Amino acid sequence: MKKIFFLLFIFCIFGCKTQKFLLEDSGNDSLYLSDSIHKIFKAGKISKKPIILINGTLFDYEKSLQTVKLKLKKEDLLYISYLDPKAAQQLYGTNEGKKGVVIIETKSK
């Protein structure tokens, strides 16, 4: 029984990680977007690998990558929002929409 709990614990540590979306900033600012997305994920609003929209355009990223680098800086961001899976499925269909959508608007469109 202890082995099962240990294996579940290890799986959650390594298998439940969300992707990191890094900005071009240095230090903690590079993790600002990733931290924001992770908070939305932890609140149960999106999946680990959501659809990302930047200024209304689908940001196509490799879903298998652990870290995704965006050509944005924290100062470029106007706001970060989301569509929960139920609303996202209305727009993007059941397969893609069930992941939820992160909406990023920048100051310069």
Side-chain angles (χ1 to χ4, degrees), residues 31-69:
L31 295 172
Y32 175 76
L33 180 61
S34 189
D35 290 344
S36 299
I37 292 172
H38 186 71
K39 286 177 188 174
I40 298 168
F41 165 72
K42 287 295 246 184
K45 307 295 183 186
I46 58 172
S47 74
K48 293 186 287 185
K49 298 180 184 197
I51 295 170
I52 304 287
L53 291 179
I54 300 175
N55 296 327
T57 303
L58 181 66
F59 176 70
D60 193 24
Y61 65 97
E62 180 59 48
K63 304 270 192 292
S64 64
L65 293 177
Q66 195 63 27
T67 302
V68 178
K69 182 91 171 179

Side-chain angles (χ1 to χ4, degrees), residues 69-83:
K69 182 91 171 179
L70 297 171
K71 293 186 180 280
L72 295 171
K73 292 188 176 203
K74 182 180 175 183
E75 65 189 30
D76 297 333
L77 302 178
L78 187 60
Y79 70 85
I80 302 165
S81 186
Y82 69 92
L83 288 175

Side-chain angles (χ1 to χ4, degrees), residues 2-53:
K2 288 182 182 180
K3 287 182 181 182
I4 292 172
F5 285 120
F6 178 73
L7 290 174
L8 285 173
F9 176 74
I10 295 298
F11 175 75
C12 275
I13 287 177
F14 294 106
C16 297
K17 290 183 179 179
T18 56
Q19 286 181 307
K20 287 186 180 177
F21 294 91
L22 298 179
L23 298 173
E24 289 186 326
D25 297 292
S26 60
N28 287 337
D29 283 349
S30 70
L31 295 172
Y32 175 76
L33 180 61
S34 189
D35 290 344
S36 299
I37 292 172
H38 186 71
K39 286 177 188 174
I40 298 168
F41 165 72
K42 287 295 246 184
K45 307 295 183 186
I46 58 172
S47 74
K48 293 186 287 185
K49 298 180 184 197
I51 295 170
I52 304 287
L53 291 179

